Amino acid sequence: MPDAFINPNPVLLVLFILYVFCFLVQVVFYWAVFFRVSLIRDPGSGIRDIVTPDRVSHISDHTTGVSVVICAHNEYRQLQRNLPIILEQDYPLFEVVVVDHASDDDTSILLSELGEKYKHLKVVSIQHDLNFFTGKKFPLSIGIKSAKHEIILLTDADCRPAGNQWVRLMQKAFTDDKDIILGYGPYEIRKGLLNALIRFETIQVAVQYLSFAMAGIPYMGVGRNLAYRKRLFYQEKGFISHYRINSGDDDLFINRVAHKKNTGVQRDPGSFTYSEPKESLGKWLTQKRRHMTTGTHYRFIHKFLLGLFGFSQLLFWVLLIWLLALKFAWIIDLSILLLLWISQYIVIGRSMKRLREKHLIGWIPLLELMTLALRIVITGTNFIVKPRKWK
């Protein structure tokens, strides 16, 4: 037995026990929940790893109608770049509904030109908001109401599908008992530390919401890549239950209506939608501040589980530094850290490969510490100033 455990200081022993507890909490999450994202396939879902041209003929020709709904506010450049590939999806029965939300750039001109070429493009123009709706929820509700097909597939104006099989793959994940399909929306690779941080944080969030859904505890989805049945939207009265909250058109809606039986996931790389990352730390932090405000409105069980994991991450590092500074069982302390890193590299590393982000695997410990620090900054800032607008 190490000398530190012979007649130990009671305070140091308590700190060590808490340190071990934090380690065990994270390991349980990694191996009981998060490992699911790295599975080869979802049992019974029919999801394939990669769709290539020679395999398209093997995909089901079932042609349930799909309405892709996009909300845009002054998104001329993004629509010019991304809308054509969405309109040219390889799927026989779909429409694209673009809600032009009070844009004062050349968005309307672009949509008019594209409408002449693509007859399945439907444009809905909104000049003013209703007083009782805030943020993106009003234009999105109008877009869903204007859609003619039962399956609603959501994305953003700045999102670009991985290929022309996006609509087909997202639709294919639906079964008779699934009303919601959660997709993945990574950010494009750029040079620099900020881009690595953005992509890593996005992976962390994706691993959590996808794995929890696969474990039968769905709690959120992202509007960059999300699908659900139109009848579900109407049955649950859309966004009425949280219409006063600026954000949450995606995650708060899913948090309220999703459950074990009606929610599925699609992890095929062909179903991903890629977005341009923010170019400055300030813009990204503003975006994350807005996203974080919705978490306080989740169901208690979801807040508890997410809070338990996040708090265990933070407390683990605080206790490790404390114990090392006091030179208490430092060999054991570092051995526990090594075991945690091994779990991270196996579980999160495999998930990164699955989600096509293997370039970041070697930087997991550093990026985790940096994202933890940024979450503290964001949480503190949100207590002082609340984000107000979706755009």
Side-chain angles (χ1 to χ4, degrees):
M1 178 180 294
D3 294 340
F5 293 98
I6 300 176
N7 297 321
N9 182 309
V11 175
L12 293 179
L13 186 58
V14 170
L15 294 178
F16 180 79
I17 292 173
L18 286 174
Y19 175 68
V20 174
F21 175 76
C22 292
F23 162 75
L24 293 175
V25 167
Q26 291 181 75
V27 168
V28 168
F29 272 99
Y30 285 132
W31 291 104
V33 183
F34 299 155
F35 83 97
R36 298 168 190 269
V37 173
S38 64
L39 293 175
I40 299 302
R41 65 176 63 202
D42 305 323
S45 71
I47 295 173
R48 296 178 173 90
D49 286 330
I50 302 176
V51 174
T52 53
D54 62 314
R55 293 176 57 190
V56 171
S57 61
H58 297 292
I59 298 177
S60 171
D61 291 326
H62 185 54
T63 54
T64 300
V66 176
S67 292
V68 179
V69 179
I70 303 170
C71 295
H73 173 67
N74 291 337
E75 296 280 12
Y76 173 83
R77 186 181 70 85
Q78 298 287 7
L79 291 172
Q80 184 182 48
R81 175 177 183 261
N82 301 321
L83 193 51
I85 191 173
I86 295 175
L87 289 163
E88 294 173 3
Q89 288 291 296
D90 179 19
Y91 193 74
L93 185 59
F94 79 105
E95 65 173 351
V96 179
V97 180
V98 178
V99 182
D100 182 7
H101 185 203
S103 298
D104 55 17
D105 60 1
D106 291 333
T107 293
S108 61
I109 298 175
L110 173 65
L111 293 176
S112 178
E113 293 174 350
L114 291 174
E116 295 180 1
K117 180 179 179 181
Y118 301 98
K119 301 306 179 183
H120 56 299
L121 171 62
K122 179 186 294 186
V123 179
V124 180
S125 297
I126 298 176
Q127 298 303 321
H128 304 287
D129 288 328
L130 292 180
N131 291 334
F132 57 82
F133 266 107
T134 58
K136 187 180 175 183
K137 294 171 186 175
F138 175 60
L140 183 54
S141 297
I142 296 299
I144 293 173
K145 182 179 180 180
S146 303
K148 67 179 180 181
H149 296 304
E150 171 63 11
I151 291 181
I152 304 298
L153 177 53
L154 304 179
T155 191
D156 291 335
D158 63 346
C159 293
R160 185 180 184 86
N164 66 356
Q165 298 300 310
W166 170 57
V167 170
R168 188 185 296 272
L169 286 165
M170 290 298 289
Q171 184 277 325
K172 181 176 175 57
F174 280 94
T175 59
D176 291 340
D177 60 338
K178 301 300 182 187
D179 294 325
I180 302 168
I181 299 300
L182 309 179
Y184 176 50
Y187 285 94
E188 296 175 350
I189 299 176
R190 298 283 191 275
K191 294 181 179 180
L193 179 59
L194 177 61
N195 179 257
L197 275 173
I198 292 174
R199 287 160 50 214
F200 181 76
E201 194 273 340
T202 302
I203 293 167
Q204 284 185 314
V205 173
V207 169
Q208 290 185 12
Y209 78 77
L210 292 174
S211 59
F212 270 105
M214 296 172 72
I217 316 173
Y219 72 90
M220 69 161 282
V222 293
R224 300 190 303 276
N225 199 4
L226 172 66
Y228 46 76
R229 298 187 191 276
K230 189 174 182 178
R231 68 168 181 264
L232 176 68
F233 185 80
Y234 283 114
Q235 287 172 357
E236 299 296 335
K237 299 181 180 180
F239 307 126
I240 292 299
S241 66
H242 48 88
Y243 73 92
R244 292 186 181 276
I245 303 171
N246 290 340
S247 56
D249 53 275
D250 45 12
D251 58 342
L252 287 184
F253 178 73
I254 296 302
N255 189 263
R256 184 168 60 86
V257 305
H259 54 76
K260 178 179 180 180
K261 294 183 179 180
N262 76 346
T263 305
V265 303
Q266 174 58 290
R267 302 166 302 150
D268 191 305
S271 71
F272 295 172
T273 57
Y274 289 85
S275 302
E276 288 189 1
K278 298 297 182 183
E279 298 178 352
S280 71
L281 180 61
K283 290 181 179 180
W284 180 56
L285 291 179
T286 298
Q287 180 187 57
K288 298 313 299 180
R289 285 182 56 215
R290 186 176 67 248
H291 293 169
M292 192 172 288
T293 58
T294 63
T296 58
H297 301 281
Y298 287 177
R299 295 178 184 177
F300 173 78
I301 183 61
H302 302 146
K303 289 191 291 186
F304 173 77
L305 291 173
L306 294 171
L308 177 61
F309 179 70
F311 185 70
S312 70
Q313 285 182 300
L314 177 61
L315 188 58
F316 176 87
W317 284 102
V318 171
L319 291 171
L320 173 60
I321 295 172
W322 200 345
L323 291 169
L324 290 177
L326 296 175
K327 300 180 181 180
F328 182 84
W330 65 272
I331 294 179
I332 298 178
D333 298 337
L334 293 178
S335 297
I336 291 174
L337 174 62
L338 179 61
L339 290 175
L340 179 63
W341 279 347
I342 291 173
S343 292
Q344 286 181 326
Y345 275 110
I346 295 175
V347 177
I348 303 302
R350 285 176 58 87
S351 297
M352 285 181 169
K353 289 181 180 179
R354 174 92 190 187
L355 299 177
R356 298 300 187 262
E357 293 284 8
K358 62 181 180 180
H359 307 86
L360 298 177
I361 292 176
W363 300 95
I364 290 176
L366 176 61
L367 293 173
E368 182 191 85
L369 283 173
M370 297 183 73
T371 53
L372 277 173
L374 288 173
R375 284 190 201 127
I376 296 173
V377 172
I378 293 171
T379 302
T381 305
N382 278 353
F383 276 115
I384 302 173
V385 181
K386 302 293 183 182
R388 293 186 178 182
K389 296 182 178 181
W390 76 275
K391 190 69 180 174

